[in-house]
Amino acid sequence: LGVILIDTMNMNPNAGKGTKRDEAMIHSLLKYTDWSNKDSKNDEKLQEKIFSSSSTKQGNGQVQPNCAALYELLQSSKFDRAFWEDEMNVRDCLRIDYKRFQVSPPSPTTTTTSLAFGMSSVLLPMDSLVYKKEGGMASFQKEAQDYMESVNVNLLLILSMTIVNDEAQREMIVIGKGDNIVEDVTKYLLESDDAAFLECAEKKNDIAVVGDDSDGSDKIPMKWFIQGNTKGSRKQVAPVIMRFVADSTIAAASL
């Protein structure tokens, strides 16, 4: 039940994630689960909140969990800023919800047998991730580059989602190694019809939008975007990048 509530943002229609199947499953779980069999080890105050007096009673007199209360509890734990900002370093944030995507070569004649990129989902503001360490942008780029090498990808997308006033906000960072790969992804996100629904806008007012070598270090290219379509999660972004990689000969050479 909790997984469905979190994934659908408690069936919030503005999130656009909940389906009729989700709704039916929530109804079935509430109706047919034996809610009297609670774990005695759980915090009693939490149980009182979830199984409050405002909860619905089943026909057998059992009290069903209050979905709104359960969702709020899980949501606050999932987006716990202390956890994301204080207990995890940059590498931890990148790897806690990381997925690798393999793409078929753009043509049968290419010598590349497998094209790959990675996507990391994080639940804190991008500013907080980028400037997590005292070294700021330089430290972030070094951590990201090291992580990319450890997972063996030359293209990494970092997707940030936060909730502000009950509304989702999304940002994206694209980091890449190889000739023009970041510039080509940027052009695709901003100009391609396939990516138009994401409503990406490049964040130009930050001094660290693109890495440079002004301090003598070898920084890798990076672009930072605000994503206007907040319903566009990794499930929607990944196919866009997969089409770009599959269709791009430059991507094939770089990845």
Side-chain angles (χ1 to χ4, degrees):
L1 177 62
V3 172
I4 300 175
L5 295 178
I6 282 291
D7 284 348
T8 64
M9 296 183 69
N10 196 23
M11 295 299 291
N12 185 340
N14 294 328
K17 292 186 174 184
T19 65
K20 290 184 178 179
R21 183 179 179 182
D22 292 320
E23 187 175 9
M25 184 57 68
I26 291 172
H27 176 76
S28 295
L29 288 170
L30 289 172
K31 183 176 181 180
Y32 297 111
T33 300
D34 180 5
W35 297 108
S36 65
N37 186 23
K38 306 184 187 72
D39 189 345
S40 60
K41 296 180 181 179
N42 287 338
D43 190 304
E44 291 185 2
K45 290 185 178 180
L46 293 181
Q47 290 198 22
E48 288 178 3
K49 182 177 181 180
I50 296 171
F51 295 90
S52 64
S53 58
S54 60
S55 300
T56 304
K57 287 188 177 182
Q58 296 173 320
N60 57 10
Q62 293 182 26
V63 178
Q64 297 176 351
N66 183 312
C67 286
L70 176 58
Y71 170 73
E72 289 175 6
L73 174 64
L74 295 173
Q75 186 82 337
S76 63
S77 298
K78 179 180 178 181
F79 288 90
D80 185 358
R81 290 289 290 272
F83 171 72
W84 282 96
E85 295 189 3
D86 300 334
E87 298 183 25
M88 293 199 296
N89 57 32
V90 171
R91 183 183 180 87
D92 290 335
C93 290
L94 294 179
R95 70 187 180 91
I96 193 171
D97 191 3
Y98 169 82
K99 288 189 178 180
R100 178 185 177 91
F101 295 86
Q102 298 287 146
V103 185
S104 300
S107 71
T109 60
T110 183
T111 57
T112 305
T113 57
S114 178
L115 309 176
F117 65 93
M119 301 183 76
S120 296
S121 296
V122 299
L123 299 177
L124 77 168
M126 204 68 86
D127 282 334
S128 298
L129 176 66
V130 169
Y131 299 106
K132 179 179 281 285
K133 298 182 69 173
E134 290 184 1
M137 175 58 63
S139 294
F140 169 75
Q141 287 184 304
K142 178 64 167 60
E143 294 270 2
Q145 184 171 7
D146 289 346
Y147 182 71
M148 291 171 66
E149 291 177 356
S150 72
V151 296
N152 193 29
V153 295
N154 287 338
L155 177 64
L156 175 68
L157 281 77
I158 305 171
L159 309 180
S160 163
M161 187 185 78
T162 54
I163 304 296
V164 179
N165 297 325
D166 293 327
E167 296 290 338
Q169 295 188 355
R170 292 187 182 273
E171 295 178 87
M172 181 191 308
I173 280 181
V174 178
I175 308 176
K177 296 187 292 182
D179 295 339
N180 302 319
I181 184 66
V182 171
E183 290 296 334
D184 289 319
V185 172
T186 296
K187 183 176 181 180
Y188 195 80
L189 289 173
L190 298 180
E191 299 179 11
S192 168
D193 290 340
D194 284 343
F197 75 97
L198 295 174
E199 301 174 11
C200 289
E202 187 177 349
K203 186 175 180 180
K204 294 180 177 292
N205 61 338
D206 192 287
I207 60 173
V209 169
V210 182
D212 57 45
D213 57 0
S214 59
D215 62 357
S217 61
D218 184 21
K219 297 187 180 72
I220 56 178
M222 185 181 95
K223 291 282 188 177
W224 191 333
F225 302 91
I226 304 297
Q227 185 178 312
N229 180 2
T230 58
K231 296 179 182 179
S233 66
R234 182 165 56 191
K235 290 181 180 179
Q236 286 73 46
V237 178
V240 172
I241 303 302
M242 292 179 76
R243 285 193 294 271
F244 162 78
V245 172
D247 294 342
S248 173
T249 55
I250 294 179
S254 299
L255 301 176

